[in-house]
Amino acid sequence: MTMSADLSLYRNIGIFAHVDAGKTTTTERILKLTGRIHKLGETHEGESTTDFMEQEAERGITIQSAAVSCFWKGHRFNVIDTPGHVDFTVEVYRSLKVLDGGIGVFCGSGGVEPQSETNWRYANDAEVARLIFINKLDRVGADFIRVTEQVKKVLGATPLIMVLPIGREDTFTGVVDLLTQKAYVWDNTGIPENFTVSDVPADMADDVEMYRQQLIETALEADDDLLMAYMDGEEPSIEEIKRCIRKGTRDLLFFPTYCGSAFKNKGMQLVLDAVVDYLPSPTEVDPQPLTDEEGNETGKFAIVSADEPFRALAFKIMDDRYGALTFVRVYSGVLNKGDTILNSFTGKTERVGRMVEMHADERNDLTTAQAGDIIALIGLKNVQTGHTLCDVKHPCTLEPMVFPEPVISISVTPKDKGSVEKMGIAIGKMVAEDPTFRVETDIDSGETILKGMGELHLDIKVDILKRTYGVDLVVGQPQVAYRETITQAIEDSYTHKKQSGGSGQFGKIDYRIRPGEQNSGFKFTSTVVGGSVPKEFFPAIEKGFATMMATGPLAGFEVLDVEVELFDGAFHAVDSSAIAFEIAAKGAFRQSMPKAGPQLLEPIMKVDVFTPEDHVGDVIGDLNRRRGMILGQESASTGVRIKANVPLAEMFGYISSLRTMTSGRGQFSMEFDHYAACPSNVAEGVIAKEKEKKAAKA
């Protein structure tokens, strides 16, 4: 049985934007217009439907992307609200994998802000077609055309201007639809349905004509025949133009651009119509490639069709008052309640007990789902974000997910004995939800170490532990994830022998240790000839070196980018064993690494600061004091963007000093860029501190 006819009526879309561009309000309005909420919530009153965690309501930011289904003009929208803050980009990234299209929301006065750039880049990598919605046009300083220019300059994208605003700032009343040349004007009640459609205001006629020509010329780039006819003076029909816009949008040639005020409910219907008209259905998107365990593509694809074997990707895990929810995008096949499915990552099967479609905090039970659906499964046991769920008879892997390594850690200890177990259970749930959040136990001190992507990321985790799980913690100072490496090549030899009655242990290795390529990790090669060390001992030697890479010679941090070459050695017919050679390798590491010019590395962050013009000097001076390298600056209409590389160690508490310097108007975002050598004075301090810690523990 095929149900593919229905799929053309599906739109899986994400809404993404910079913090404060009004993304959650936009999502709210979409849900309201599509009849899914009766009472509107406002973010700034702290009650919006998709933000149902306490932290979100309080901070006014969306932390978790919630998936919601709704309907518009006979089409089914699955809307995923993604977080905009940089510490949560992994959420954005994961949401993009399961979307077919998106709406990028920008603030009419703030314009294209640093974070929007990261999210935009992710969306380009994932080849997601997008509309642009320029919001908050009722704000002071809002300027639609200026923001479209920024989209060109900062994002390097072509905005396809579909509407022009009527009025500016507090006189903004509606928009002119360039294709139909009709004006949509809303009254001041804030009720989205209260609008009238009329002719273009006389004073806008010239602009409308000019932008309409631009629109048609750009759109027709998607169809050479129509473009030629147009050049010969033949005006295409609205249907033909729409078809071109649809194709060009899907091929990322341009991005249909709309404007309005989500808060005042002006201009939203046109955006919803555009989702139907221009964003692709699940079958119009290139299908997801299947991969093997290592992540290499197999050349097969998950074709979006109900007739194919079942394949789905778990893209988000949430724990709420009903138990663990696993959000799943079904790529192909059909899933029925009661089915047994395979998790290809763990190799274990899971039984589908309940499946639901979500509407923020409410849910409807389903008995079946099919290709193109985004649903939540309740009560799956061992599924984590990024796992593939599939038909037991047709195992497969949808792209494996690669998550960035955490760069910052804090130690936490529960305030009382009763919280210890509570904390363990809570942290287990949180790790399943967020793969960039890691937890370790410090073996010597017994402290719990939380690791994450930035200060805000960990702040919020501690907050969730306190509020959601009621675990009170004593939080240590944030710690930077330093690494170590070596700078010189060295040739050396090590013999391990032990004789104690009966058979002894013996293993001799001759080896070279040298600095590896950047980001190469640990590499082991053997050039032994003539069997002076038998092949069967190579894995043990490699394991010995590899396990030692976890604790470097300087201060015990993990070691990066080292190559070890085994070129000779000796063995004993009776006394040699794998364990003897593993011990030899460990001893060799201890003996030789300190002689190979060990060096401390620190994480360098890519920092993007936005500041009003009159504070540029202060901000740059401050970044220099933080050992930053200024990479460039560009002025925008509302201020200056400064790009720099700055060591993470110098960035603690940066947000409060930036706010002080810029009287509260500065913003910044940062993400991990690379590891670089620590200057010797800094390195000495770090090493001394680590030694003190060890001494204190001893």
Side-chain angles (χ1 to χ4, degrees):
M1 86 174 186
T2 72
M3 295 156 86
S4 50
D6 298 349
L7 281 179
S8 65
L9 302 177
Y10 276 53
R11 297 289 180 274
N12 289 324
I13 57 170
I15 296 183
F16 35 102
H18 185 82
V19 183
D20 285 346
K23 186 180 40 175
T24 304
T25 307
T26 306
T27 308
E28 278 293 286
R29 296 314 192 229
I30 289 178
L31 299 177
K32 171 74 172 79
L33 275 168
T34 51
R36 287 312 290 260
I37 317 179
H38 301 299
K39 170 181 171 291
L40 277 183
E42 288 312 337
T43 324
H44 50 244
E45 290 162 13
E47 36 174 63
S48 59
T49 313
T50 41
D51 287 354
F52 52 86
M53 287 167 58
E54 276 174 45
Q55 287 78 4
E56 301 190 357
E58 254 188 37
R59 293 171 188 242
I61 59 176
T62 305
I63 301 169
Q64 301 181 311
S65 42
V68 183
S69 305
C70 55
F71 294 87
W72 180 253
K73 298 196 173 167
H75 288 69
R76 177 196 188 96
F77 291 2
N78 290 318
V79 185
I80 293 187
D81 183 20
T82 61
H85 201 284
V86 71
D87 284 346
F88 307 104
T89 37
V90 60
E91 288 273 341
V92 178
Y93 191 73
R94 213 173 314 137
S95 309
L96 284 172
K97 285 208 74 64
V98 299
L99 298 177
D100 304 321
I103 302 174
V105 180
F106 299 101
C107 171
S109 60
V112 178
E113 291 161 292
Q115 194 44 45
S116 7
E117 205 177 331
T118 312
N119 291 350
W120 193 263
R121 197 175 67 235
Y122 279 155
N124 284 343
D125 293 347
E127 295 180 357
V128 173
R130 275 149 286 167
L131 306 173
I132 291 173
F133 176 57
I134 294 172
N135 189 18
K136 301 194 176 181
L137 279 199
D138 52 321
R139 276 265 180 104
V140 176
D143 182 338
F144 176 61
I145 298 301
R146 191 192 72 226
V147 180
T148 63
E149 289 304 314
Q150 274 185 306
V151 167
K152 285 184 205 160
K153 206 169 72 196
V154 180
L155 303 176
T158 305
L160 184 69
I161 296 176
M162 303 293 294
V163 300
L164 288 180
I166 302 171
R168 296 184 64 139
E169 298 180 356
D170 51 2
T171 62
F172 170 72
T173 57
V175 297
V176 171
D177 178 352
L178 294 176
L179 272 186
T180 58
Q181 292 167 299
K182 288 282 179 229
Y184 290 73
V185 178
W186 278 262
D187 65 16
N188 282 328
T189 56
I191 298 169
E193 287 77 11
N194 287 8
F195 65 93
T196 51
V197 181
S198 54
D199 292 332
V200 174
D203 59 348
M204 289 180 68
D206 296 347
D207 277 357
V208 168
E209 187 50 42
M210 178 179 90
Y211 281 104
R212 190 167 194 266
Q213 294 296 342
Q214 273 182 23
L215 164 65
I216 294 173
E217 282 164 28
T218 311
L220 295 189
E221 282 172 21
D223 185 319
D224 294 341
D225 300 342
L226 285 175
L227 188 58
M228 297 307 288
Y230 179 67
M231 293 299 184
D232 297 337
E234 225 180 289
E235 174 98 357
S237 72
I238 285 191
E239 266 47 59
E240 288 171 327
I241 301 172
K242 280 187 159 179
R243 196 185 72 234
C244 289
I245 297 176
R246 187 175 183 88
K247 182 175 184 301
T249 304
R250 186 193 165 246
D251 298 341
L252 306 190
L253 291 178
F254 45 69
F255 303 90
T257 300
Y258 291 81
C259 66
S261 160
F263 179 58
K264 299 272 170 69
N265 267 315
K266 294 176 182 174
M268 299 303 297
Q269 285 92 334
L270 287 86
V271 181
L272 294 178
D273 289 344
V275 170
V276 168
D277 289 341
Y278 308 127
L279 289 181
S281 75
T283 50
E284 291 169 304
V285 175
D286 294 336
Q288 282 284 339
L290 301 177
T291 61
D292 57 19
E293 274 77 67
E294 278 76 60
N296 305 313
E297 297 191 3
T298 56
K300 291 208 179 91
F301 293 91
I303 310 292
V304 179
S305 148
D307 304 334
E308 288 266 313
F310 172 70
R311 304 185 183 100
L313 183 71
F315 67 94
K316 168 122 193 98
I317 306 228
M318 266 167 61
D319 210 73
D320 71 356
R321 55 179 185 266
Y322 303 100
L325 287 177
T326 306
F327 282 89
V328 166
R329 158 79 198 253
V330 183
Y331 283 106
S332 60
V334 176
L335 178 64
N336 295 308
K337 194 172 155 174
D339 283 358
T340 295
I341 52 177
L342 172 72
N343 175 343
S344 64
F345 182 83
T346 58
K348 295 192 164 70
T349 55
E350 299 260 0
R351 190 170 166 284
V352 179
R354 278 182 72 195
M355 43 206 265
V356 293
E357 81 178 5
M358 294 293 293
H359 167 57
D361 222 4
E362 303 159 25
R363 57 205 58 201
N364 306 327
D365 274 277
L366 302 172
T367 52
T368 176
Q370 62 168 36
D373 279 332
I374 291 181
I375 54 164
L377 302 176
I378 298 181
L380 296 187
K381 301 278 183 305
N382 300 311
V383 179
Q384 283 191 322
T385 302
H387 288 177
T388 300
L389 301 172
C390 56
D391 184 329
V392 181
K393 297 195 233 15
H394 299 89
C396 70
T397 302
L398 289 152
E399 272 176 87
M401 297 200 153
V402 184
F403 295 112
E405 284 297 309
V407 287
I408 176 174
S409 62
I410 49 175
S411 63
V412 294
T413 13
K415 281 194 179 151
D416 51 67
K417 283 280 186 289
S419 293
V420 177
E421 191 178 324
K422 243 171 37 186
M423 178 177 86
I425 295 168
I427 287 180
K429 289 180 174 174
M430 289 160 66
V431 171
E433 288 173 15
D434 178 357
T436 54
F437 174 57
R438 315 263 173 93
V439 177
E440 286 171 13
T441 305
D442 185 315
I443 298 162
D444 309 324
S445 67
E447 287 177 322
T448 302
I449 310 287
L450 309 184
K451 299 184 163 188
M453 303 311 295
E455 268 185 296
L456 179 74
H457 192 199
L458 292 180
D459 273 357
I460 286 183
K461 296 298 181 201
V462 169
D463 211 33
I464 291 175
L465 281 167
K466 276 192 183 143
R467 298 227 198 132
T468 312
Y469 297 104
V471 180
D472 244 341
L473 298 172
V474 180
V475 180
Q477 284 295 311
Q479 300 294 322
V480 175
Y482 290 100
R483 297 282 183 264
E484 298 183 24
T485 191
I486 52 170
T487 53
Q488 295 152 21
I490 179 170
E491 192 171 299
D492 213 341
S493 168
Y494 188 90
T495 308
H496 167 67
K497 63 170 188 270
K498 198 165 155 203
Q499 200 63 45
S500 52
S503 70
Q505 288 182 351
F506 179 84
K508 172 175 189 280
I509 52 175
D510 297 332
Y511 53 90
R512 297 184 187 97
I513 292 183
R514 56 178 166 265
E517 298 272 299
Q518 207 177 357
N519 294 332
S520 61
F522 168 66
K523 238 163 105 185
F524 177 79
T525 52
S526 155
T527 51
V528 174
V529 284
S532 50
V533 177
K535 272 205 173 52
E536 67 258 31
F537 296 136
F538 293 174
I541 295 169
E542 178 171 0
K543 184 181 166 203
F545 279 113
T547 49
M548 293 300 285
M549 289 282 291
T551 41
L554 285 173
F557 294 110
E558 191 184 322
V559 181
L560 296 182
D561 309 335
V562 171
E563 283 181 32
V564 176
E565 177 200 342
L566 177 70
F567 67 89
D568 203 4
F571 78 108
H572 185 288
V574 179
D575 292 354
S576 285
S577 62
I579 195 81
F581 275 103
E582 189 182 322
I583 293 170
K586 288 179 174 171
F589 186 94
R590 274 192 213 98
Q591 162 183 296
S592 305
M593 288 296 281
K595 301 191 264 187
Q599 187 180 51
L600 197 65
L601 300 174
E602 60 179 348
I604 304 293
M605 308 303 279
K606 187 160 83 192
V607 178
D608 195 331
V609 187
F610 181 83
T611 162
E613 223 147 276
D614 31 356
H615 301 296
V616 173
D618 301 342
V619 170
I620 288 182
D622 177 70
L623 287 171
N624 285 331
R625 273 194 299 282
R626 294 171 187 270
R627 302 194 281 119
M629 260 230 350
I630 309 293
L631 302 175
Q633 55 181 51
E634 34 185 274
S635 18
S637 47
T638 49
V640 179
R641 298 184 49 196
I642 300 161
K643 295 194 169 186
N645 279 348
V646 191
L648 174 66
E650 307 291 338
M651 289 297 289
F652 290 135
Y654 182 63
I655 186 69
S656 50
S657 31
L658 178 66
R659 285 194 180 132
T660 312
M661 275 184 293
T662 59
S663 1
R665 290 168 59 206
Q667 288 185 328
F668 85 108
S669 73
M670 68 174 184
E671 50 185 319
F672 171 71
D673 196 68
H674 63 280
Y675 273 99
C678 235
S680 54
N681 57 338
V682 176
E684 280 160 21
V686 172
I687 294 166
K689 219 172 179 176
E690 288 301 308
K691 289 201 169 122
E692 259 170 53
K693 265 200 221 159
K694 286 201 174 68
K697 283 172 190 166

